[in-house]
Amino acid sequence: MAKFVLIGSGLAGGLLAAYLGRRGYEVDLYERRADPREGDMVGGRSINLAISTRGIHALEQIGIADEALQHAIPMPGRMIHDRSGTLHFSPYDVDPKNCINSIGRAALNTTVIEAAQRYPNVSVHFNHKCTDVDLDTPTVQFEAEHGQLPAHGDAVIGVDGAFSAVRQSMQMQINRFKYDESYLAHGYKELTIPPASDGSWRMEKNALHIWPRKSFMMIALPNPDSSFTCTLFWEFEGPRSFATTKTDDGVRRFFDEEFPDAVPLMPTLLEDFRQNPTGSLVTIRCSPWYYKDKVALVGDAAHAVVPFYGQGMNAAFEDCVVLDECLEEFPEDRERAFGEYFSRRKVNADALADLAIGNFIEMRDKTASKTFRAKKKLDHFLEAALPGIYLPLYTMVTFTRIPYATAAKRARTQNAIVYTALIAIVLIIALLIFHFV
Ligand SMILES: Cc1cc2nc3c(=O)[nH]c(=O)nc-3n(C[C@H](O)[C@H](O)[C@H](O)COP(=O)(O)OP(=O)(O)OC[C@H]3O[C@@H](n4cnc5c(N)ncnc54)[C@H](O)[C@@H]3O)c2cc1C
């Protein structure tokens, strides 16, 4: 059986190692950080994430969904906080069973790594930082505790995230490798709402909380320890921005003006704001995602997206399912398997990148409006009235495995039909009124 060298034991790396291990391949999984079970592995990354149908399906296929989801908190809708502190709950779907789930990154990472380690043919090596890959041999160079180390395999998979070292080697060694990165003008900072003194959640726990403020927003997802992790998405630069709000007084004033109902729930706001890093939000598109039968990219390494559809990890997990299917379909031709995987996923990753940017505008601006709530009600009415025919875009992306590109296209067609029908109805009513008055 072939030997795979995987770089990065993050969310997709651990899961992919389990899939490849199950297929009987010899797998060496290398990670630059220490073992997540030994302490804090989050290192400035989001503490919790929303997992939905695609991600859960990928976990189910390898038999670890129940284990992973045991502490997850279902979120059947958004809880919108306006400036006055008034709350509006807007369900994600007409079917209340369709929820997104808040899950801890560290716990999920441990679950996927342990799933991989159950296969005796999978070995995991922490504290190994990949510095370079020679694509043709393929050989990986690592910086490890005792100096430089090479590792060789039949194939190397870069599952090493948005700033992938494997992808950088591909950029340098593949002619006409296409690469594009674009940063949002917004960054993000994580803050905390701790549990109440009686150990309960200080807000509704079964909801994704949003404070939409037009050009920026804050969100909060519940954690199993009764806290919430809040994320402020705000401009890096500008008259009111991360750049101009440096003092405790400035931070306090900004929060008092914009999120007055959250401030009393955030006793460590000023410390959190000072101490927690401000992260960037990047979209990365590249092509191709593979080189011969030697190297491939999976997850954020191939297609980092901004987090506003809550789909980056879900898409990375879906990559693992599709790559596994392609290896099953072409067991004797790995280059063909890599090529199929790339062609099945690339168009969908590109569609997701666009959807994710579009959803930022929806979350931070439109969720606050009555029109948004009316549109959601209309969506849910049509979904219930035309089962299997009309599916809102959010439902297709989040609660089905319809490929992202197909979902985006179908939503455009549905919108065109619905808006044309609405205009026709308004015209007919106007004509009738005109006729009878
Ligand atoms: C604020 C925020 C919120 C998000 N919320 C959601 C959400 O709600 N739902 C969702 O689906 N997605 C969400 N995402 C996206 C999600 O975090 C990523 O899509 C997901 O982590 C991708 O998994 P990955 O395994 O490809 O990469 P990563 O999780 O980044 O893992 C990469 C791994 O590779 C290791 N590594 C990196 N370089 C090297 C090297 N040179 N050598 C060895 N190891 C290396 C890293 O240490 C890491 O362990 C969010 C992202 C952000 C920033």
Side-chain angles (χ1 to χ4, degrees):
M1 264 304 212
K3 174 176 169 182
F4 280 80
V5 173
L6 267 53
I7 311 300
S9 75
L11 298 174
L15 188 67
L16 184 62
Y19 271 93
L20 297 176
R22 183 176 65 175
R23 215 157 265 298
Y25 295 112
E26 195 187 328
V27 180
D28 268 320
L29 174 58
Y30 290 91
E31 165 61 43
R32 71 175 169 190
R33 295 185 206 273
D35 188 333
R37 289 158 291 195
E38 285 168 10
D40 169 37
M41 53 71 68
V42 172
R45 317 287 319 286
S46 65
I47 287 162
N48 54 23
L49 309 107
I51 187 166
S52 48
T53 298
R54 294 166 204 268
I56 294 171
H57 173 257
L59 296 172
E60 275 167 359
Q61 294 307 296
I62 199 93
I64 56 170
D66 289 342
E67 185 185 341
L69 289 169
Q70 60 183 327
H71 301 300
I73 301 175
M75 300 180 290
R78 326 162 178 80
M79 186 69 83
I80 311 213
H81 297 237
D82 71 17
R83 269 201 190 78
S84 70
T86 308
L87 303 178
H88 303 275
F89 182 76
S90 165
Y92 281 122
D93 193 49
V94 69
D95 180 349
K97 287 201 292 300
N98 277 341
C99 300
I100 59 174
N101 302 276
S102 178
I103 192 164
R105 184 185 284 271
L108 180 57
N109 205 170
T110 299
T111 305
V112 290
I113 292 173
E114 287 180 349
Q117 285 178 321
R118 281 178 209 140
Y119 296 94
N121 43 327
V122 176
S123 313
V124 187
H125 315 266
F126 294 101
N127 301 308
H128 280 69
K129 181 182 175 192
C130 162
T131 52
D132 185 42
V133 182
D134 179 63
L135 304 186
D136 275 305
T137 37
T139 306
V140 185
Q141 297 298 331
F142 292 102
E143 257 171 39
E145 214 182 329
H146 302 294
Q148 298 282 334
L149 277 178
H152 172 75
D154 296 297
V156 171
I157 315 260
V159 218
D160 49 345
F163 302 99
S164 166
V166 179
R167 190 186 62 229
Q168 272 169 31
S169 296
M170 291 170 80
Q171 266 180 278
M172 283 188 282
Q173 294 168 53
I174 299 177
N175 280 337
R176 295 181 301 282
F177 185 85
K178 284 194 204 144
Y179 178 73
D180 179 66
E181 63 177 25
S182 66
Y183 286 88
L184 288 191
H186 293 68
Y188 72 93
K189 194 183 279 288
E190 291 194 328
L191 306 161
T192 308
I193 294 181
S197 51
D198 64 357
S200 62
W201 281 271
R202 292 184 183 216
M203 305 186 292
E204 169 59 53
K205 86 167 192 212
N206 294 114
L208 187 151
H209 293 260
I210 312 181
W211 289 258
R213 296 296 181 260
K214 292 211 176 289
S215 71
F216 61 91
M217 68 173 176
M218 185 166 78
I219 64 169
L221 272 72
N223 295 312
D225 69 356
S226 305
S227 67
F228 285 85
T229 303
C230 306
T231 312
L232 170 67
F233 295 97
W234 198 18
E235 286 96 335
F236 274 113
E237 307 283 340
R240 235 173 34 139
S241 61
F242 281 117
T244 55
T245 312
K246 297 273 189 213
T247 62
D248 284 357
D249 277 354
V251 172
R252 168 68 74 179
R253 209 174 315 120
F254 170 65
F255 272 78
D256 281 343
E257 279 167 24
E258 299 295 344
F259 313 116
D261 64 328
V263 172
L265 314 179
M266 303 173 87
T268 55
L269 168 65
L270 299 177
E271 293 93 300
D272 290 349
F273 199 94
R274 244 183 278 122
Q275 283 160 18
N276 294 350
T278 309
S280 304
L281 296 164
V282 69
T283 302
I284 287 172
R285 299 173 202 251
C286 67
S287 171
W289 294 356
Y290 72 106
Y291 175 74
K292 300 183 182 169
D293 63 345
K294 314 272 186 210
V295 180
L297 299 173
V298 167
D300 275 16
H303 52 76
V305 297
V306 293
F308 305 109
Y309 234 111
Q311 285 294 312
M313 166 196 55
N314 286 283
F317 280 6
E318 204 170 46
D319 286 351
C320 300
V321 175
V322 174
L323 179 56
D324 182 59
E325 282 166 4
C326 293
L327 288 166
E328 182 176 29
E329 274 175 54
F330 307 103
E332 305 303 329
D333 187 349
R334 198 167 49 242
E335 182 167 0
R336 177 92 195 271
F338 284 174
E340 276 293 320
Y341 153 73
F342 171 58
S343 70
R344 288 179 199 179
R345 293 303 290 160
K346 170 68 177 160
V347 59
N348 291 308
D350 285 346
L352 175 60
D354 295 337
L355 288 171
I357 289 172
N359 214 43
F360 184 29
I361 300 163
E362 172 153 322
M363 284 177 86
R364 72 178 200 218
D365 187 358
K366 301 197 177 140
T367 50
S369 76
K370 289 200 174 101
T371 320
F372 171 84
R373 289 201 287 277
K375 167 84 174 62
K376 288 292 157 202
K377 281 191 181 139
L378 176 64
D379 267 351
H380 293 167
F381 167 76
L382 291 171
E383 190 184 354
L386 304 167
I389 299 173
Y390 184 91
L391 278 176
L393 177 60
Y394 190 90
T395 300
M396 286 190 274
V397 169
T398 310
F399 303 124
T400 76
R401 292 189 297 119
I402 296 171
Y404 294 117
T406 312
K409 194 167 163 215
R410 186 167 159 184
R412 282 193 296 273
T413 311
Q414 288 180 167
N415 276 348
I417 295 170
V418 169
Y419 289 125
T420 310
L422 283 176
I423 291 168
I425 290 167
V426 170
L427 282 177
I428 290 167
I429 293 171
L431 282 174
L432 288 174
I433 293 171
F434 183 73
H435 185 75
F436 289 111
V437 174

